[in-house]
């Protein structure tokens, strides 16, 4: 049997893992500095916990786990006779793989909110699974990385999460821009134009401005039956100019009577002004056309893009009113952000921003000359490892050429020779494989050399 | 809907995660020092990759993933009509959750052996899933942690992996004993007694000596139809005395004509003598009754136990002849060891060996006195975080009592007060919540205080 990977999945070998860990370590360190605490939920949940939370399309993409044992014994006879896959699925499966991190987080908070220090700040970095058709860059198993704080509506949390973004990406040396909007402003615009019941059609079209331009955005609005008069009333949206605070001032004037809009303007002003004061160099811009996640977000909306690469967003988030209502627990508002690990990885790779020293290869390979020499080598190796220097013995007394080839393939930087003569004079020949340079050192001197 | 966890699964909150990471970081660091490189395989594999590798019981415990979409359309009509769960399962599932780390590792090596630097040393720390009946300490999702080296039969690798065990557990401050045996010795004993075809019955009984004593072991052998004469011939097994090398010398005399037994003795002698020379203090003992994994192991067998706790083994491993034969690739022998993460965790907990400073709570909570003060606090917090000190602002201008309670519940050690007066004189009141001690410091002095 010739084995293969399951469709849409990947093996990760040393280099990818070490680079992914580099990213995750920096993020984790920042989460910790900001007072977020880790949470890990199980890979599978009760099917009922996940069903109905992601829309019809989402439900279809949830991986369901077949019940163990005699799964067919208790099914509805008619559904079985009809081979009705849709009706049978929930009868023969009761567990399903995590589809995102938000629903399991909500389930956790709903079950534990009485015990948690509120506001509860958690981060979570775990794989999720989706039965999507695999394609370039889209996998059936991938990591998500979320940080949320729930239990308070304080706008200082918007400022906190923006700082978390800026500080984390700064530490990754990845220059970013963050765009910010507020759902209340979009609602205000819809109300102002008399199209409150068409908010989604309106914002979906507006969100495409960057890609398709003003004329086509207006065309799309028309095609969605947004009245010409409303479109004209909103024409000023395409003519805004000035910095974020200036645009907000223009909106404030327009929103005179539209209280939801004024609320959105005030919130954004508070966030932008304070952040500017705390972090004057941060690239944060109000983007009135940003309209992501409106089925969920109720206040601030964020989007993060990397400068210098065409990758779409590498992060995003926003404020929501009710994390846990669907699980019967009310009044838990919150705000959360995601870090797009796969895209951050691609950005660092494309911009050559991974540090060179984050490889996993051992530093030194001791050549194998037979058992007496190997014993001596093992004693030296044990001392090197105690000092934190990675080293290994080639396990077989093979031709030196073969041992060299192993070191090269594995990316080992130094070869150490400890033969009969070296044992006698208690020195080791150390060869730098890149430069060819060779020196004769005691173990202690070797430790000094590598620790310097 | 009141949510619950899926049966046999757990949420992990901050304290458990931080402690698990403490263990994993130490193990990873040692793997790296020893030249092992990380590998991660997907959570699910093609069903055919896993089926038939774990015996009938194992096959039953594999979690299978229901095919997406119209899973019922292509099933065998007769099996469907009979509701034959066993025959239908492989027709409506084509993927299954990882059951252990060895089979995915073998699949990876079979697919990539041409590209790998051989011998290939990999470690892997990932969750696995089993449809076991959940009970105390047994979960349906749990972590495994394996290190293997494949592609060579060198006995220096036995010595290497034993050193890996001793060094890793020493760094965890967990005193251990390792027992070692060799399948060839057990085969030699069976051959010597003329019961080669009863090796498994013989060793299964022998392995119970610790628990049930000599009389019952011999009783069990009899009940398995091992001849009385053979049992008498093996009686010396219960009378061995002296240290490991002395017992090996006795065996050597007995094995005069039994070449497989002599081979086992020679291998063990090599391993024990060299390890003693490299690591004189290591507690490694030959245990002739140790007989784990004989369906798989062909040479050395290890078992690790923690001193001072009754937990069973916290690690084990052994040498095998063929990792990948089942996937059509021959001649890849190897040796591997496991670290039992859950039990190591329990041992460290029971022996109170987790360091106190590995908690995740932020160091400082800034009290919230309103927006002006919060802005000033945010500026101080940003500086503290830049210096690597975790700090956060309570997000709301709530009663101080409530803010105190939050700090206490979250395990935060210091409260910082930055009110109108403090802003004026550019100092912060810092209160140690454990001692009640309070001091007035500039931000710079505060950083010095925490970094000292």
């Amino acid at each position: 049997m010739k084995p293969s990977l399951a469709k849409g999945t990947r093996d990760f070998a040393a280099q990818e893992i070490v680079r992914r860990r580099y990213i995750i370590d920096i993020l984790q360190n920042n989460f910790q500095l900001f007072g977020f605490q880790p949470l890990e939920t199980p890979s599978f949940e009760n099917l009922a916990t996940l069903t109905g939370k992601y829309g019809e399309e989402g439900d279809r993409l949830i991986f369901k786990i077949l019940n163990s044992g005699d799964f067919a014994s208790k099914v509805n006879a008619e559904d079985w006779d009809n081979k009705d896959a849709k009706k049978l699925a929930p009868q023969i499966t009761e567990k399903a793989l995590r589809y995102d991190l938000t629903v399991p987080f909500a389930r956790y908070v709903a079950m534990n909110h009485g015990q948690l220090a509120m506001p509860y700040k958690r981060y979570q970095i775990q794989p999720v699974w989706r039965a999507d058709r695999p394609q370039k860059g889209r996998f059936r198993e991938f990591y998500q990385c979320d940080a949320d704080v729930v239990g308070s509506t304080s706008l200082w949390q918007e400022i906190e999460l923006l700082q978390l973004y800026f500080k984390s990406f700064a530490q990754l040396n990845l220059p970013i821009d963050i765009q910010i909007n507020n759902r209340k402003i979009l609602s205000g615009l819809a109300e102002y134009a008399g199209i409150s019941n068409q908010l989604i059609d309106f914002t979906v079209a507006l969100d495409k401005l960057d890609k398709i331009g003003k004329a086509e955005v207006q065309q799309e609005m028309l095609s969605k039956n947004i009245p010409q008069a409303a479109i004209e009333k909103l024409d000023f949206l395409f003519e805004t100019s000035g910095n974020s605070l200036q645009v907000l001032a223009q909106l404030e004037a327009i929103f005179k009577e539209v209280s939801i809009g004024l609320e959105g303007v005030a919130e954004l002003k508070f966030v932008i002004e304070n952040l500017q004061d705390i972090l004057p160099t941060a690239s944060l811009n109000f983007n009135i056309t940003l309209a992501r996640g409106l089925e969920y977000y109720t206040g601030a909306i964020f989007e993060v893009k990397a400068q210098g690469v065409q990758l779409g967003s590498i992060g995003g988030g926003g404020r929501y009113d009710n994390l846990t209502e669907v699980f019967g627990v009310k009044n838990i508002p919150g705000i959360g952000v995601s870090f797009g690990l796969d895209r951050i990885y691609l950005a660092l790779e494309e911009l050559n921003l991974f540090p060179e020293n984050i490889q996993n290869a051992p530093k030194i390979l001791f050549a194998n000359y037979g058992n007496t020499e190997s014993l001596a080598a093992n004693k030296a190796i044990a001392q090197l490892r105690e000092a934190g220097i990675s080293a290994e013995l080639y396990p077989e007394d093979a031709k030196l050429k073969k041992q060299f080839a192993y070191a090269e393939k594995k990316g080992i930087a130094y070869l150490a020779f400890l033969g009969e003569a070296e044992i006698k004079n208690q020195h080791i020949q150390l060869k730098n494989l890149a430069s060819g340079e060779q020196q004769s050192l005691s173990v202690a001197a070797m430790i000094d050399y590598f620790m310097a």
Side-chain angles (χ1 to χ4, degrees), chain A:
Chain A
M1 179 213 163
K2 216 179 144 72
S4 61
L5 279 162
K7 211 164 54 170
T9 66
R10 298 165 281 183
D11 289 319
F12 291 100
Q15 197 197 11
E16 292 147 301
I17 293 175
V18 169
R19 288 178 161 199
R20 180 147 44 87
R21 263 185 215 157
Y22 163 76
I23 299 171
I24 288 176
D25 284 350
I26 286 179
L27 297 182
Q28 275 183 179
N29 179 41
N30 280 289
F31 295 149
Q32 208 270 331
L33 286 176
F34 278 71
F36 288 81
Q37 299 192 298
L39 174 69
E40 291 180 14
T41 64
S43 297
F44 56 76
E45 296 277 350
N46 290 320
L47 182 58
T49 300
L50 305 187
T51 306
K53 311 300 188 298
Y54 306 106
E56 205 172 312
E57 168 76 354
D59 278 353
R60 226 174 36 75
L61 299 182
I62 293 172
F63 279 118
K64 297 164 192 77
I65 298 172
L66 185 66
N67 291 345
S68 301
D70 197 4
F71 61 83
S73 65
K74 282 177 193 158
V75 293
N76 176 290
E78 197 186 326
D79 297 338
W80 190 264
D81 291 343
N82 293 337
K83 291 192 174 176
D84 189 331
K86 212 171 163 184
K87 284 190 181 157
L88 286 172
Q91 299 178 48
I92 63 174
T93 63
E94 59 186 31
K95 298 174 287 296
L97 291 180
R98 188 167 53 221
Y99 181 85
D100 75 354
L101 303 181
T102 302
V103 171
F105 171 52
R107 194 262 310 142
Y108 176 80
V109 173
M111 285 175 66
N112 298 283
H113 62 100
Q115 282 72 55
L116 297 170
M118 284 291 201
Y120 174 52
K121 298 165 88 169
R122 85 87 172 77
Y123 72 89
Q124 194 169 351
I125 306 173
Q126 291 193 280
V128 301
W129 298 271
R130 296 184 181 182
D132 255 324
R133 189 173 296 277
Q135 57 186 57
K136 192 171 179 305
R138 188 202 284 166
F139 297 92
R140 291 184 153 186
E141 172 175 51
F142 58 96
Y143 272 81
Q144 288 193 338
C145 170
D146 290 3
D148 287 76
V149 46
V150 296
S152 162
T153 57
S154 164
L155 290 172
W156 287 106
Q157 298 177 326
E158 273 77 345
I159 295 164
E160 170 102 333
L161 287 172
L162 287 167
Q163 289 184 80
L164 176 66
Y165 265 146
F166 285 114
K167 182 155 168 33
S168 301
F169 286 112
Q171 212 174 330
L172 289 165
N173 287 313
L174 184 60
I176 55 158
D177 300 305
I178 299 186
Q179 304 205 315
I180 185 170
N181 198 359
N182 191 304
R183 188 218 173 94
K184 292 173 184 172
I185 287 179
L186 294 167
S187 296
L189 289 171
E191 189 180 324
Y192 168 74
I195 53 167
S196 285
N197 54 351
Q198 288 170 292
L199 177 66
I200 298 301
D201 284 340
F202 158 57
T203 53
V204 165
L206 190 62
D207 191 50
K208 296 180 184 161
L209 183 62
D210 270 3
K211 283 189 194 126
I212 61 177
K214 172 179 171 180
E216 285 200 48
V217 166
Q218 293 187 323
Q219 198 51 51
E220 177 170 330
M221 288 183 187
L222 268 180
S223 77
K224 295 284 181 181
N225 297 318
I226 293 177
Q228 182 66 39
I231 293 172
E232 274 165 30
K233 211 167 167 195
L234 293 167
D235 199 61
F236 77 95
L237 284 179
F238 305 101
E239 318 298 336
T240 57
S241 65
N243 66 26
S244 300
L245 292 173
Q246 289 165 337
V247 176
L248 282 171
Q250 295 165 41
L251 275 180
E252 201 170 357
I254 285 164
F255 280 151
K256 275 188 311 275
E257 311 283 302
V258 185
S259 65
I260 184 84
L262 288 173
E263 220 177 285
V265 169
E267 288 185 4
L268 268 189
K269 242 174 98 173
F270 183 86
V271 171
I272 291 172
E273 283 179 348
N274 279 297
L275 189 83
Q276 255 174 17
D277 206 344
I278 299 163
L279 210 62
T281 58
S283 167
L284 174 68
N285 290 297
F286 170 41
N287 177 355
I288 204 168
T289 72
L290 179 66
R292 302 289 157 80
L294 289 189
E295 66 288 351
Y296 189 58
Y297 294 137
T298 54
I301 308 166
F302 305 136
E303 184 171 58
V304 186
K305 288 189 172 162
Q307 293 174 10
V309 280
Q310 298 297 324
L311 273 174
S313 77
I314 59 169
R319 176 167 283 286
Y320 44 86
D321 278 345
N322 268 299
L323 178 71
T324 50
E325 197 166 20
V326 67
F327 295 119
V329 178
K330 292 193 180 177
N331 297 322
I332 304 210
I335 175 167
V337 294
S338 293
F339 291 79
L341 288 181
D342 284 334
R343 287 196 180 164
I344 294 170
Y345 188 108
L346 289 174
L348 295 183
E349 198 166 48
E350 198 171 324
L351 298 171
N352 213 4
L353 292 174
F354 283 111
E356 283 202 15
N357 61 357
I358 55 160
Q359 40 180 323
N360 190 270
K363 266 243 149 23
I364 312 163
L365 177 71
F366 276 71
N368 190 320
Y369 289 114
N371 285 340
T372 310
E373 294 82 356
S374 291
L375 176 59
N378 257 297
K379 291 180 183 176
I381 289 170
Q383 289 180 65
L384 288 163
R385 289 173 180 163
E386 272 314 314
I389 300 158
S390 61
E392 61 175 342
L393 168 74
Y394 190 82
E396 287 170 9
D397 181 8
K399 290 210 171 108
L400 261 187
K401 200 178 152 190
K402 195 175 173 189
Q403 303 193 37
F404 259 103
Y406 172 82
E408 204 174 13
K409 199 162 189 179
K410 202 165 169 178
I412 296 173
Y414 291 86
L415 252 169
F417 305 100
L418 182 51
E420 211 180 323
E422 285 83 8
I423 293 177
K424 229 171 254 161
N425 69 24
Q426 305 210 345
H427 267 60
I428 295 165
Q429 296 290 334
L430 183 71
K431 185 187 175 93
N432 179 324
L433 288 176
S435 69
E437 192 194 341
Q438 196 158 322
Q439 49 188 321
S440 180
L441 296 167
S442 69
V443 177
M446 212 160 140
I447 291 172
D448 288 345
Y449 172 74
F450 283 110
M451 301 311 277

